[in-house]
Amino acid sequence: MARPNEEVEALLREYADLIEITGGDAFKARAYEKAARAIGGHGADVSRLDAAALREIPGVGKSIAEKVTEYLGTGHVPAIEETRTAVPAGVRDLLTIPTLGPRKAMTLHQELGVSSVDELVAAVHEGRLRDLKGFGEKTEENILHGVDLMQQAGDRILLSAATELAEETVAALTEATGIERCAYAGSTRRMRETIGDIDLLVAAEDSAPVMDAFVRLPQTAETVVRGRKKTSVRTTRGLQVDLRVLPPEAWGAGLQYFTGSQAHNIATRTIAGRAGLKLSEYGLFDAESGERLAAATEEEVYERLGLPWIPPTLREDRGEVAAALRGELPELVTEDDLRGDLHTHTDLTDGISSLTEMVDAAAARGYAYYAVTDHAPNLYMQRMTEEKMLAQRERVRELDGRHRRMRLLHGTELNIDADGAVDWPGEFLDGFDVCVASIHSHFRLDRAAQTRRLIRACENPHVNVIGHPSARKIGHRAPIDADYDAVFEACARTGTALEINSHPDRMDLRDEQVLRAREFGVKFAIDSDAHSVTHLPHVRYGVGTAQRGWLGKDDVINTWPLTRLRRFLRKRGR
DNA sequence: GCCGTTTTCGGCCCGACTGTTTTCAGTCG
């Protein structure tokens, strides 16, 4: 079950989409959209708020507060359900295709009777879009490309959603059965950016009560298979969750086996085989005598193989076993190492939380420093001005004394234009403590042009961090095409850090790129890109990516003490 | 539908880009 705030957010977003598709008042749709965002990013649990408290959330008025109360009380909102009957669910799915918005979706539905993504693809192949006004060859191409992008993400879900579901299920199972050991394994534990299904492990002598509790959890929609050792269910959101029950004495071997990856397991089994041992989910055995040599903990299994414990985020057969054998595993950066966040927004631009709310939430995380980096003016919708920025800076300086242990940095997120230039003249940029520069437009330039603009941004003496360097959105927008080796070289040469953006649908840079960039001696910043207080904890996913890229603490500038960080932020030539 | 008043209506994020047009609609950030 999702958090109530997220559930309500999804409901209001759906209504906003439905209003747009049916050609309703665009401002009304935007009002719902805005309220959805505000509730999704609201710090307090909305299910505990009464109508009056709901109305204190910006963007929530009488009507929306009533609908939310109604929904939380009864699970139904007649007004929304009524609109729902007018638009098949598949039509709304069309909006998830990039370049397809509400107008085109409705045209497709009304003129061609298209009511699902599959039907749309079929209609394109049958050439049925040709006759529609406003649809041409390029539109067809864009639709097919968009669908392709979505299908590459496939049925996989984002790491954040998988982690939340896995943690909730572990907690619910533990509470329901009183079992001692329950954990999630698989790609969620390895922190891959998307997850196909969730693997849960339980140590218990008697599996029946655990299986019973599992199939009765509220998030279980249907049971796929049910056995003594393994049960699989599909959740209300269509995700498969596998539960394996192991004898307690085999916990470590089971955890090791089900965490994978498959390639890592092959590598460890090969080592076992060479040593006359046999490794399975039940333990590490002597191949000849069948005697069990290790099984209770992962550490013990690895140790008996002659290896140190290998962190799950490294278990991808990317050389971790060889490194472990040489005793050269990296000491990975952890979430606790982070001393601050260098890319965050407030409601001065497109954030939801106010400056003080963000600052207080950052201080509560124990940060030693915190940068506020609202959007610069070339992202026109944000209507940023020098005056607003200077006023914010004044406010940031005032607030700097608010939390004794945390210093505030005033920064901005600049826009890298097609030529690699950024907003504002150098004299104005001089006034910032930190500048992130990101690509927000011109995603389709060719490789040479993208490479050039990124390198030019690195060479700008004011740019400290390249934000979300590939500009991809998982399942939605392909990464830009650039010669990243050349970009990494430029970063290392100019003292520009690359961001590991932790926003769950960005996860940018991605792990392989981090691994590669590290070889060039690049430094990184693990940032939340938070637009709300609830986004600050997303850095855990960025840390996962950093670990998958083999980064240690020293590679990440926001683990450094402030004095060292400040030195880095004063780039050469500035 | 929300908000903030010059309190009960009138404005609400607005400019760029794309692909379709032949002067602009739709989508995006």
Side-chain angles (χ1 to χ4, degrees):
Chain A
M1 208 63 109
R3 285 178 59 233
N5 291 35
E6 283 157 24
E7 238 180 276
V8 171
E9 178 183 5
L11 179 81
L12 298 180
R13 267 187 206 283
E14 180 193 356
Y15 194 42
D17 284 349
L18 295 177
I19 292 168
E20 284 209 277
I21 293 170
T22 53
D25 180 5
F27 289 115
K28 182 172 159 182
R30 200 172 298 166
Y32 276 96
E33 187 75 41
K34 198 178 162 213
R37 264 166 44 84
I39 287 174
H42 191 64
D45 181 343
V46 288
S47 66
R48 293 164 186 275
L49 302 181
D50 61 12
L54 281 170
R55 290 191 63 174
E56 279 176 26
I57 301 173
V60 178
K62 183 165 176 290
S63 174
I64 292 181
E66 273 171 14
K67 289 192 175 72
V68 172
T69 314
E70 200 174 4
Y71 177 72
L72 292 170
T74 67
H76 298 280
V77 185
I80 298 178
E81 284 169 9
E82 217 165 279
T83 321
R84 222 179 247 159
T85 58
V87 184
V91 177
R92 185 174 173 238
D93 290 344
L94 300 180
L95 302 189
T96 58
I97 303 172
T99 72
L100 250 198
R103 312 305 319 158
K104 283 191 168 140
M106 201 51 188
T107 304
L108 289 166
H109 178 56
Q110 285 177 335
E111 303 292 322
L112 301 179
V114 166
S115 56
S116 73
V117 174
D118 287 345
E119 284 172 30
L120 175 58
V121 171
V124 173
H125 289 309
E126 289 160 15
R128 292 165 61 209
L129 270 59
R130 299 281 159 79
D131 307 328
L132 292 181
K133 194 170 172 339
F135 287 75
E137 207 179 314
K138 201 72 188 169
T139 311
E140 292 186 342
E141 215 175 278
N142 285 338
I143 288 173
L144 292 181
H145 180 248
V147 172
D148 200 39
L149 265 181
M150 287 164 57
Q151 283 169 349
Q152 277 173 30
D155 297 327
R156 303 180 71 82
I157 64 165
L158 297 178
L159 172 63
S160 55
T163 304
E164 282 165 25
L165 178 63
E167 287 177 346
E168 282 165 18
T169 312
V170 166
L173 265 184
T174 306
E175 186 178 356
T177 60
I179 41 174
E180 278 172 35
R181 284 195 148 149
C182 180
Y184 60 87
S187 48
T188 313
R189 184 166 181 238
R190 301 201 313 279
M191 301 191 80
R192 274 190 62 174
E193 62 193 32
T194 60
I195 306 296
D197 52 35
I198 290 178
D199 297 298
L200 299 181
L201 295 185
V202 161
E205 300 289 359
D206 181 13
S207 71
V210 181
M211 298 305 193
D212 281 344
F214 183 51
V215 298
R216 282 201 212 108
L217 291 178
Q219 53 263 52
T220 296
E222 58 168 324
T223 304
V224 182
V225 293
R226 161 92 196 240
R228 209 161 48 82
K229 292 180 175 173
K230 175 183 166 175
T231 292
S232 298
V233 302
R234 206 174 299 286
T235 67
T236 41
R237 287 204 223 150
L239 193 70
Q240 182 161 322
V241 184
D242 298 336
L243 174 67
R244 294 282 304 226
V245 177
L246 301 159
E249 65 273 16
W251 174 254
L255 191 56
Q256 198 278 332
Y257 176 81
F258 287 108
T259 296
S261 64
Q262 202 175 4
H264 174 82
N265 286 353
I266 291 171
T268 47
R269 285 176 178 209
T270 305
I271 292 197
R274 284 200 205 117
L277 308 170
K278 188 171 79 73
L279 179 61
S280 78
E281 63 264 50
Y282 296 105
L284 184 63
F285 301 89
D286 185 295
E288 283 194 8
S289 69
E291 183 195 351
R292 177 145 66 188
L293 304 170
T297 67
E298 276 195 332
E299 285 80 358
E300 163 185 323
V301 171
Y302 279 107
E303 191 190 344
R304 191 64 187 73
L305 285 170
L307 298 169
W309 179 78
I310 299 177
T313 43
L314 292 185
R315 300 184 196 170
E316 297 289 346
D317 192 27
R318 290 172 178 162
E320 72 278 7
V321 173
L325 282 170
R326 292 195 309 268
E328 289 173 10
L329 279 179
E331 190 155 328
L332 298 177
V333 61
T334 67
E335 194 176 349
D336 283 344
D337 292 330
L338 296 185
R339 292 183 197 236
D341 198 328
L342 298 178
H343 181 179
T344 69
H345 298 271
T346 74
D347 61 4
L348 181 62
T349 56
D350 57 351
I352 291 162
S353 308
S354 68
L355 176 61
T356 28
E357 287 169 334
M358 294 301 278
V359 166
D360 289 350
R365 289 181 57 78
Y367 285 151
Y369 47 83
Y370 179 75
V372 178
T373 58
D374 270 314
H375 288 289
N378 293 356
L379 199 62
Y380 301 96
M381 65 195 251
Q382 309 301 351
R383 301 212 292 182
M384 179 52 75
T385 61
E386 290 193 7
E387 293 69 36
K388 284 190 192 175
M389 215 26 138
L390 291 175
Q392 185 188 55
R393 182 172 304 158
E394 207 169 310
R395 193 75 192 104
V396 165
R397 300 303 181 220
E398 285 167 19
L399 283 172
D400 199 11
R402 187 177 172 95
H403 298 283
R404 199 167 50 84
R405 294 165 185 277
M406 186 176 82
R407 297 286 64 78
L408 292 179
L409 304 178
H410 190 237
T412 182
E413 182 181 17
L414 301 165
N415 304 286
I416 302 173
D417 76 12
D419 298 319
V422 296
D423 323 51
W424 282 319
E427 310 82 73
F428 192 76
L429 296 180
D430 274 334
F432 289 105
D433 301 316
V434 54
C435 291
V436 178
S438 313
I439 285 177
H440 291 120
S441 63
H442 303 91
F443 302 112
R444 295 208 204 172
L445 295 177
D446 66 31
R447 187 180 175 87
Q450 299 287 25
T451 309
R452 204 162 40 229
R453 72 195 283 215
L454 282 170
I455 291 176
R456 194 171 158 215
C458 291
E459 289 171 343
N460 185 321
H462 296 95
V463 171
N464 305 119
V465 177
I466 303 292
H468 44 75
S470 86
R472 71 152 175 182
K473 288 195 173 169
I474 296 172
H476 197 71
R477 184 168 64 216
I480 58 166
D481 183 21
D483 175 357
Y484 277 99
D485 277 2
V487 175
F488 298 158
E489 186 281 320
C491 285
R493 168 170 54 85
T494 59
T496 311
L498 282 169
E499 183 175 70
I500 298 175
N501 187 297
S502 309
H503 197 282
D505 64 9
R506 287 194 184 270
M507 299 289 268
D508 182 12
L509 288 179
R510 58 183 305 174
D511 53 4
E512 292 99 328
Q513 289 177 306
V514 172
L515 209 49
R516 179 74 183 159
R518 179 175 157 271
E519 291 176 23
F520 287 80
V522 174
K523 296 299 179 194
F524 301 85
I526 301 174
D527 295 329
S528 67
D529 196 0
H531 284 65
S532 145
V533 291
T534 59
H535 298 166
L536 289 172
H538 284 161
V539 289
R540 66 185 294 199
Y541 305 116
V543 169
T545 299
Q547 292 189 346
R548 292 175 59 83
W550 292 51
L551 296 191
K553 188 175 161 177
D554 196 59
D555 298 314
V556 179
I557 63 172
N558 51 321
T559 67
W560 298 352
L562 184 56
T563 43
R564 183 176 175 199
L565 175 66
R566 280 199 191 277
R567 238 183 349 261
F568 181 86
L569 296 177
R570 284 192 297 272
K571 287 176 82 170
R572 254 164 291 165
R574 182 180 164 188

